[in-house]
Amino acid sequence: MTNVSAFERAANTIIEVNACDRSRIDFEVEIMKLEKSQWCGYFDRVSKALVSKRAEIEVASLKLGDQIEAEWLPLLGISYDPKNDVIDIALEGLTHLIHEPREVYVKQDGLELSALEVVDAEGSRQIVVLKDPRMLPSPAQFTKKAS
């Protein structure tokens, strides 16, 4: 078995399933592996654009199975500390630390980060999916319906 990330497997499956319907393939989605030398700069750059996002964190490991660590909490930022070899994912009310990360894969829709997968030293995979918060309708829409 080759060392392929869960993101790459999912992307390949989606493309195979949708290959007969070219109108459904999103060619803007890019999945790439980041080199460790890129982590600090990349997370510093994208964190500024992620402040309004919500995040779900799933941890998948042979020891624990698949577990949801956080469900759609507001994201405050993502950073990498090379001195302590830790990726810090700060959410409202929760800090998720990934010690000794070995691989980082990012999924981007155009220029926007939509998901992240980190493989740690024990082989556990931490998958962070990002989405925009739901927008409530404006109060004016409620008053128009009531009239």
Side-chain angles (χ1 to χ4, degrees), residues 15-80:
I15 289 171
E16 287 172 15
V17 168
N18 292 333
C20 62
D21 182 2
R22 294 247 178 244
S23 65
R24 294 178 53 195
I25 299 174
D26 184 357
F27 290 103
E28 295 296 313
V29 174
E30 180 181 359
I31 298 169
M32 64 182 175
K33 180 179 181 181
L34 297 179
E35 296 303 319
K36 200 165 197 169
S37 61
Q38 299 174 302
W39 295 356
C40 282
Y42 182 83
F43 291 135
D44 286 347
R45 278 191 313 277
V46 299
S47 281
K48 295 174 180 102
L50 299 177
V51 173
S52 65
K53 299 282 187 184
R54 301 235 173 216
E56 177 180 76
I57 300 175
E58 177 183 354
V59 179
S61 74
L62 292 175
K63 284 186 202 174
L64 303 172
D66 293 359
Q67 297 185 2
I68 301 296
E69 170 99 11
E71 283 192 78
W72 308 119
L73 294 175
L75 180 68
L76 303 175
I78 303 173
S79 63
Y80 174 64

Side-chain angles (χ1 to χ4, degrees), residues 98-123:
I98 304 170
H99 298 277
E100 299 181 35
R102 293 294 166 248
E103 298 174 35
V104 172
Y105 297 89
V106 294
K107 177 182 173 190
Q108 293 184 178
D109 294 330
L111 297 175
E112 188 174 306
L113 179 66
S114 61
L116 164 74
E117 178 181 359
V118 180
V119 181
D120 66 19
E122 296 178 354

Side-chain angles (χ1 to χ4, degrees), residues 108-144:
Q108 293 184 178
D109 294 330
L111 297 175
E112 188 174 306
L113 179 66
S114 61
L116 164 74
E117 178 181 359
V118 180
V119 181
D120 66 19
E122 296 178 354
S124 297
R125 297 180 181 275
Q126 337 256 314
I127 301 167
V128 181
V129 180
L130 304 169
K131 71 176 184 177
D132 289 317
R134 271 194 193 173
M135 301 304 288
L136 296 174
S138 68
Q141 289 177 333
F142 285 119
T143 55
K144 286 180 186 177

